[in-house]
Amino acid sequence: EFLAGIGKLRRRLIQKATGEVLEVAVGSGRNFSYYNGGKVTAITAVDFSRAMLEVADEKRKEIEPIPLRLKLASTHRLDFEDGSFDTVVDTFGICSFEQPVQALQEMRRVMKEDGQMLLLEHGASKWEFVQSMLNRGIHRHVEKYGCYANRDICKLVREAGLHIALEQRSHFGTTYSLVC
């Protein structure tokens, strides 16, 4: 992540989070240190892996004094009321969601009408040569990592009914930083 500048991309995006935040597919809590305590009032973080939530819990001090609630849950079925969160965050999760459009629709459902979704993802390239390389090894990559690295993230986001307000791409167009 350091050499590719992913930490810088995470920081830039996560600094946009405000109010009540839901972070899905939180994993090990890599984003915790980037949340701004002056803008974020609380964070609810979900993951389908209990082991990952335990690792994230060990990083609780990184976000103090922001209250943190960790919850075992699937992004495809979030146990929250409609319009519960000001900001919904996902970093590098869409590539591994079994049904990415359904997951994005569920994330949109729990976001307030005037809320924002912050996505940092990897997927399809704008460069034909790079995309052909991603497509060529996709079956092995999915089997080994559970990651569909050739998904067109913007297309999936639009299919889920979201409007992309800001799109920045890097790494030959394979890394997406989106504000919806």
Side-chain angles (χ1 to χ4, degrees):
E1 284 204 4
F2 176 76
L3 291 176
I6 300 297
K8 188 183 290 186
L9 294 173
R10 284 181 190 273
R11 183 177 65 249
R12 272 193 219 138
L13 190 67
I14 301 304
Q15 288 287 307
K16 296 178 189 311
T18 60
E20 294 271 339
V21 174
L22 171 66
E23 184 171 341
V24 303
V26 70
S28 65
R30 268 193 173 146
N31 296 324
F32 286 176
S33 65
Y34 302 123
Y35 284 103
N36 181 335
K39 296 181 356 182
V40 174
T41 56
I43 299 171
T44 300
V46 301
D47 202 286
F48 74 92
S49 168
R50 186 176 309 279
M52 285 289 96
L53 288 173
E54 290 170 5
V55 173
D57 193 40
E58 293 172 9
K59 295 182 179 177
R60 186 177 289 271
K61 288 188 187 303
E62 292 182 17
I63 62 166
E64 288 181 352
I66 303 169
L68 172 66
R69 184 174 93 164
L70 298 170
K71 185 171 179 159
L72 187 66
S74 165
T75 304
H76 296 87
R77 285 194 195 101
L78 296 168
D79 187 22
F80 302 109
E81 301 217 1
D82 295 0
S84 296
F85 298 95
D86 300 293
T87 304
V88 178
V89 173
D90 177 50
T91 58
F92 301 108
I94 292 175
C95 66
S96 60
F97 293 155
E98 292 292 323
Q99 297 172 329
V101 173
Q102 179 188 343
L104 286 160
Q105 288 171 334
E106 188 66 355
M107 292 159 61
R108 183 184 62 153
R109 180 187 67 77
V110 300
M111 183 176 70
K112 292 180 179 175
E113 275 298 315
D114 61 347
Q116 63 179 341
M117 189 176 299
L118 306 176
L119 304 171
L120 181 60
E121 307 292 340
H122 70 111
S125 175
K126 289 181 174 182
W127 296 38
E128 194 173 314
F129 174 73
V130 175
Q131 186 62 30
S132 69
M133 289 174 46
L134 289 173
N135 290 339
R136 193 171 350 157
I138 194 64
H139 297 297
R140 285 187 310 278
H141 193 77
V142 170
E143 287 175 15
K144 188 171 184 180
Y145 302 108
C147 165
Y148 295 85
N150 66 342
R151 287 181 170 166
D152 184 336
I153 302 301
C154 290
K155 181 180 176 202
L156 295 171
V157 166
R158 288 184 184 103
E159 282 179 28
L162 291 157
H163 168 74
I164 299 171
L166 177 65
E167 174 186 351
Q168 296 176 318
R169 305 265 295 263
S170 53
H171 306 113
F172 302 102
T174 62
T175 303
Y176 300 64
S177 183
L178 305 175
V179 177
C180 305

